[in-house]
C-alpha cells in the first residue's frame, strides 16, 4: 500500500484534486498497483509556519535595492 505525504502551502480544492489524481496515477503507472491501494496525505502549512533563507514566507518582500 503506497502512501504519499506532501507538505505544501495552502491550495484550493481544485489544486488538491489535481495533485491527488496525478500523484496516484504516477504511482499506478510505475508500480502497476491498482489506484485503490494508493493513499495521499496533503499537509497544508500557513506561510507563517514556513521559513526559507532565515525568513518567514509571510514576511513582506523588500524590492531589491530598497534595503
Amino acid at each position: 500500500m503506497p502512501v504519499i505525504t506532501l507538505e505544501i502551502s495552502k491550495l484550493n480544492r481544485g489544486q488538491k484534486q489535481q495533485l491527488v489524481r496525478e500523484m496516484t496515477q504516477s504511482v499506478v503507472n510505475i508500480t502497476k498497483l491498482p489506484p485503490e491501494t494508493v493513499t495521499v496525505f496533503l499537509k497544508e502549512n500557513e506561510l507563517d509556519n514556513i521559513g526559507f533563507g532565515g525568513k518567514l514566507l509571510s514576511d513582506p518582500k523588500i524590492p531589491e535595492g530598497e534595503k
Side-chain angles (χ1 to χ4, degrees), residues 6-10 43-50:
L6 176 66
E7 290 199 38
I8 193 163
S9 59
K10 291 292 185 179
K43 182 180 179 198
E44 293 181 284
N45 296 298
E46 296 287 342
L47 295 182
D48 280 344
N49 297 331
I50 304 170

Side-chain angles (χ1 to χ4, degrees), residues 50-57 59:
I50 304 170
F52 181 75
K55 298 179 182 177
L56 292 175
L57 290 184
D59 288 345

Side-chain angles (χ1 to χ4, degrees), residues 3-66:
V3 176
I4 301 167
T5 302
L6 176 66
E7 290 199 38
I8 193 163
S9 59
K10 291 292 185 179
L11 300 169
N12 65 43
R13 185 167 173 78
Q15 291 170 317
K16 293 176 195 180
Q17 289 170 325
Q18 183 177 356
L19 270 170
V20 169
R21 183 175 53 249
E22 292 185 18
M23 287 191 294
T24 299
Q25 191 58 51
S26 289
V27 170
V28 169
N29 292 344
I30 293 166
T31 66
K32 308 302 183 214
L33 291 169
E36 298 79 24
T37 66
V38 180
T39 301
V40 179
F41 291 102
L42 300 176
K43 182 180 179 198
E44 293 181 284
N45 296 298
E46 296 287 342
L47 295 182
D48 280 344
N49 297 331
I50 304 170
F52 181 75
K55 298 179 182 177
L56 292 175
L57 290 184
S58 61
D59 288 345
K61 302 285 188 249
I62 301 172
E64 195 63 34
E66 291 185 24

